[in-house]
Amino acid sequence: MGQTKSQFTEEELQDYEDLTFFTKKEILCAHKKFKALAPEKVGHNKNAKLSMHKILQYPELRVNPFGDRICKVFSSSSDGDCTFEDFLDMMSVFSDAAPKTVKAEHAFRIFDFDGDDMLGVSDLRQVIERLIGDGNTLTDNDVKLLIQTILDEADLDDDGALSFAEFEHIIDKSSDFSNSFRIRL
């Protein structure tokens, strides 16, 4: 194979391959990227947990307005810190091989800031504010109008919020969703 020895047994690699959308080679590549975030901490400790701050140093997460939300959704702890398995799960869902339905489920959880299994007005406001960033040129009325337009288009049961089914219906219409919900290894 080469000069390097994997920290994982063949059985562990097989388990990861069975549980993700990755090949063994891609799993080892993901571990290399994880280790590069904190080589002193990960070193030979395959069970190391990295702080959200460290995970957010990954280039695609550093520039993503939802980086912290992504970490929190994929973290096995409430603080957003990630183990390699959390990181691998995240990268797997953001891979090209992950089905659109899996991506939609995780996108919904990322946008559901209050965790009530609905995308309400406050969730949609936070999504919009993160998307437009600090150079916000929208007035509060513009944001309210945008939220109302979203709800008029997508809130099929008129309850003032988007359920996962309604969100998934929007995603199904979006031809570019899978391409934009992607992080390459």
Side-chain angles (χ1 to χ4, degrees), residues 2-164:
Q3 299 290 333
T4 58
K5 183 180 183 304
S6 171
Q7 288 183 304
F8 303 105
T9 66
E10 188 60 34
E11 186 178 333
E12 287 171 323
L13 285 173
Q14 185 60 53
D15 287 346
Y16 287 147
E17 188 175 45
D18 293 344
L19 295 170
T20 66
F21 301 105
F22 286 139
T23 64
K24 290 175 187 170
K25 183 178 178 182
E26 290 168 322
I27 292 162
L28 292 173
C29 179
H31 187 260
K32 183 177 177 183
K33 303 259 182 173
F34 182 75
K35 186 176 179 178
L37 294 171
E40 71 291 345
K41 187 164 185 178
V42 177
H44 296 291
N45 180 6
K46 64 183 174 190
N47 298 315
K49 183 183 256 191
L50 301 184
S51 69
M52 183 185 338
H53 173 74
K54 284 284 189 189
I55 298 296
L56 290 174
Q57 296 308 304
Y58 195 79
E60 287 85 346
L61 293 175
R62 187 178 340 161
V63 297
N64 190 311
F66 300 97
D68 63 319
R69 291 290 305 152
I70 292 168
C71 287
K72 286 180 180 171
V73 164
F74 285 94
S75 175
S76 53
S77 59
S78 60
D79 55 11
D81 293 356
C82 291
T83 63
F84 171 65
E85 289 183 359
D86 297 334
F87 182 78
L88 185 63
D89 188 32
M90 174 195 324
M91 297 307 286
S92 178
V93 169
F94 279 95
S95 73
D96 288 332
K100 195 175 192 179
T101 55
V102 171
K103 290 178 178 287
E105 177 188 330
H106 285 82
F108 185 85
R109 290 177 52 210
I110 291 164
F111 298 154
D112 183 14
F113 287 85
D114 58 15
D116 67 352
D117 294 327
M118 296 291 282
L119 299 184
V121 171
S122 67
D123 296 315
L124 294 173
R125 176 176 290 281
Q126 288 184 70
V127 168
I128 292 166
E129 287 172 352
R130 284 181 182 230
L131 288 173
I132 60 178
D134 293 334
N136 182 356
T137 56
L138 295 180
T139 66
D140 191 51
N141 280 340
D142 290 337
V143 173
K144 286 178 183 174
L145 182 61
L146 185 52
I147 291 169
Q148 191 55 54
T149 302
I150 292 167
L151 291 173
D152 288 347
E153 287 290 319
D155 183 15
L156 302 176
D157 60 6
D158 292 323
D159 65 353
L162 302 181
S163 66
F164 176 68

